Amino acid sequence: MANEVEQTLIEPLFQALQKERFVTIATIDHETGGPNVSAISWIYAPSEKRLYFAVDNRSRIVQNIQKNPLVVITLIANESTYSISGKAHVKIEKMEGVPLKLALVEIAITEVRDVMFYGAKISVEPKYEKTYDAQAAAKLDNQVMTALRNA
């Protein structure tokens, strides 16, 4: 039985993307033309049709998107794994109110697909912890997520 394909985020995914969380982003490498996958955590869904994420404005992710806007976010939530496809562009080159040189990237969602293999569900979602100064990390995370919400 084929999984449902949506054009927008379903409610549980929208809710999952209201706070910082672990996802991966796949882009097309601007030099090799092959896939490039990175892990990010500063991601936010301002609506069911769009995603924002923040990343260093000199990162390979930004360079790749500038050459080819097609991206895929992989999200583990709602007891499954989802592939969120779309077209990305740099909305803001340097975000205000954040001490780092971060770009705000917007993704216009074109497809949301449940890609979990048949007969399984995610029983424990991935968790991570920051390995540098916890207080500094919390402050920075708050600044970045606030900037994403206010964009």
Side-chain angles (χ1 to χ4, degrees):
M1 181 173 159
N3 288 326
E4 293 291 316
V5 177
E6 307 287 341
Q7 271 64 59
T8 62
L9 295 173
I10 60 173
E11 185 61 23
L13 303 185
F14 176 74
Q15 290 305 320
L17 290 164
Q18 294 305 296
K19 61 182 176 32
E20 178 186 359
R21 72 182 295 125
F22 172 85
V23 299
T24 62
I25 181 167
T27 58
I28 307 299
D29 190 276
H30 71 279
E31 292 179 330
T32 68
N36 182 276
V37 178
S38 300
I40 60 173
S41 64
W42 291 324
I43 188 161
Y44 171 70
S47 75
E48 291 84 359
K49 297 178 181 185
R50 293 180 301 140
L51 296 175
Y52 290 162
F53 69 88
V55 66
D56 186 301
N57 63 14
R58 299 162 297 176
S59 81
R60 191 162 199 91
I61 295 168
V62 171
Q63 293 174 328
N64 292 345
I65 287 169
Q66 288 169 335
K67 177 116 188 225
N68 185 329
L70 299 178
V71 300
V72 174
I73 297 287
T74 303
L75 169 66
I76 297 173
N78 194 37
E79 298 185 331
S80 197
T81 304
Y82 294 86
S83 170
I84 304 169
S85 302
K87 289 189 177 182
H89 73 279
V90 176
K91 182 177 171 87
I92 300 172
E93 300 249 348
K94 166 120 180 31
M95 295 172 64
E96 296 292 323
V98 178
L100 302 176
K101 293 179 180 174
L102 299 179
L104 186 151
V105 179
E106 179 178 32
I107 301 172
I109 297 170
T110 56
E111 179 182 272
V112 179
R113 185 182 294 265
D114 184 332
V115 295
M116 190 70 190
F117 50 89
Y118 179 77
K121 70 176 185 175
I122 298 293
S123 57
V124 178
E125 291 184 12
K127 292 189 178 209
Y128 61 92
E129 56 186 67
K130 304 291 173 91
T131 57
Y132 57 98
D133 181 320
Q135 191 173 19
K139 181 179 179 183
L140 179 60
D141 291 344
N142 186 50
Q143 290 170 323
V144 174
M145 292 307 291
T146 298
L148 288 175
R149 282 186 205 96
N150 293 334

